[in-house]
Amino acid sequence: MTTHHTKILIIGSGAAGCTAAIYAARASLNPILVRGMQPGGQLTITTDVENFPGFEHAIQGPWLMEQMEKQALHVGTQIIDDHIARVDLSKRPFTAVGESGDTYTADTLVIATGATARWLGIESEKKFAGFGISACATCDGFFFKGKEVVVFGGGNSAVEEALFLTNFATKVTLIHRRDTLRAEKIGQERLFKNPKISVIWDSVVEEFIGTENPNSLTGVRLKNVKTGTISEIKTDGAFIAIGHTPNTELFKGAVDMDKDNYIITTPGSTKTNVPGVFAAGDVQDKIFRQAVTAAGTGCMAALEAERFLAGH
Ligand code: NDP
């Protein structure tokens, strides 16, 4: 059991954490980055990435994260394979204890633990994830040009994703488990007015259907929860937009969060309510959730931590 002390501890190794590490290392802060349970974060479970600037052709999400981590290492980050089990942010230096038994003490902390997309959780969903099923229309919508897609969910994300997908798909069907949407009215109006979008109410997935080797989604079997009727519709793609869960369990009671458990940061900044603690990436962003915005806030967090250290 070792105690590591650092000027800046970064928890999380997705785009936000790695970018914070790159900036902090280049500012000679000798950062420690603790990788966590899913090294590389959400990009490691995607395939083609076409919207991260700097690459003419599609790159692979896992490859991009490998590069970010190598870059962070190369400029002087100490990367540690551990999963933080508890933190004490009530006094400086802050303390974090890993499942390995190691203790990390830090003058500043960057929380970059990300968020996890919620999935429906049925077996056939796993089979076609990345092969027709996606949890991110902004990332994958482009691949459905001229095709038909369905979107699951009834919140703002589902409505925004359905509208966004009309830029590519010939037909978008929103499927919701109830008979009203919880999305804001303005979004609902746009959705109902759009001639490419239709809605199937009161329905849940029984099974995703498709071909195997190579796996490819071709349709979805639905059950009407009011009548029990089973139906099948053809589709090329399915977007799951039933919400995300920010990975903030560890920080409950330690930093301020909103009603959905996202960490609250000062607008235009990554500052939390605890001086010296910064939050970057999806852990504090329920709106954009992009690799590039996560990287952007990771950069901000490192620069703000550097300023904080200079002032103390
Ligand atoms: P929400 O939690 O708001 O909505 C999730 C939707 O998915 C609900 O309609 C819910 O149904 C449905 N759902 C949940 N679990 C299941 C399941 N197992 N099977 C089928 N359906 C399911 O998530 P969002 O991602 O839409 O939004 C999260 C937060 O982010 C909200 O506060 C939202 O307002 C905000 N947001 C804001 C945006 C903006 O301002 N531009 C853009 C996107 C999000 P039910 O309604 O029955 O509970």
Side-chain angles (χ1 to χ4, degrees), residues 61-120:
W63 177 84
L64 178 62
M65 292 323 300
E66 213 178 280
Q67 293 299 314
M68 278 196 207
E69 198 178 287
K70 281 187 183 161
Q71 189 180 356
L73 259 178
H74 176 75
V75 291
T77 307
Q78 188 184 349
I79 298 181
I80 298 181
D81 250 322
D82 200 353
H83 185 247
I84 301 298
R86 54 179 198 279
V87 292
D88 179 0
L89 309 185
S90 63
K91 55 183 185 307
R92 280 198 304 274
F94 305 119
T95 310
V97 180
E99 273 172 5
S100 65
D102 283 10
T103 298
Y104 306 84
T105 57
D107 300 324
T108 60
L109 173 67
V110 175
I111 301 173
T113 47
T116 308
R118 278 190 225 135
W119 295 91
L120 295 166

Side-chain angles (χ1 to χ4, degrees), residues 70-263:
K70 281 187 183 161
Q71 189 180 356
L73 259 178
H74 176 75
V75 291
T77 307
Q78 188 184 349
I79 298 181
I80 298 181
D81 250 322
D82 200 353
H83 185 247
I84 301 298
R86 54 179 198 279
V87 292
D88 179 0
L89 309 185
S90 63
K91 55 183 185 307
R92 280 198 304 274
F94 305 119
T95 310
V97 180
E99 273 172 5
S100 65
D102 283 10
T103 298
Y104 306 84
T105 57
D107 300 324
T108 60
L109 173 67
V110 175
I111 301 173
T113 47
T116 308
R118 278 190 225 135
W119 295 91
L120 295 166
I122 58 175
E123 206 42 49
S124 52
E125 180 185 47
K126 278 194 213 125
K127 188 154 115 192
F128 297 109
F131 301 96
I133 301 182
S134 163
C136 178
T138 317
C139 322
D140 299 326
F142 187 75
F143 304 121
F144 293 88
K145 218 169 190 164
K147 301 196 167 167
E148 296 185 4
V149 298
V150 297
V151 177
F152 291 95
N156 277 330
S157 297
V159 167
E160 282 193 2
E161 300 219 335
L163 287 165
F164 177 74
L165 286 163
T166 60
N167 293 322
F168 318 101
T170 50
K171 187 176 167 211
V172 177
T173 307
L174 184 85
I175 301 168
H176 185 37
R177 63 181 176 184
R178 293 186 297 125
D179 61 2
T180 49
L181 301 175
R182 67 167 68 234
E184 283 167 26
K185 284 282 172 287
I186 180 154
Q188 295 197 28
E189 277 164 24
R190 284 192 197 125
L191 181 103
F192 296 137
K193 260 201 266 168
N194 194 306
K196 278 190 175 177
I197 303 180
S198 55
V199 182
I200 297 179
W201 300 108
D202 300 313
S203 296
V204 295
V205 188
E206 281 275 291
E207 197 176 1
F208 290 102
I209 305 160
T211 54
E212 286 180 31
N213 297 323
N215 289 6
S216 177
L217 184 76
T218 56
V220 47
R221 188 175 307 129
L222 299 175
K223 180 181 175 182
N224 184 300
V225 291
K226 284 194 177 151
T227 62
T229 312
I230 304 285
S231 61
E232 252 179 53
I233 59 169
K234 246 175 63 315
T235 191
D236 303 301
F239 288 84
I240 316 294
I242 61 169
H244 284 71
T245 309
N247 303 322
T248 52
E249 193 61 32
L250 181 61
F251 305 101
K252 279 218 169 116
V255 292
D256 285 351
M257 296 178 195
D258 70 9
K259 64 171 182 27
D260 299 320
N261 298 321
Y262 284 85
I263 294 178

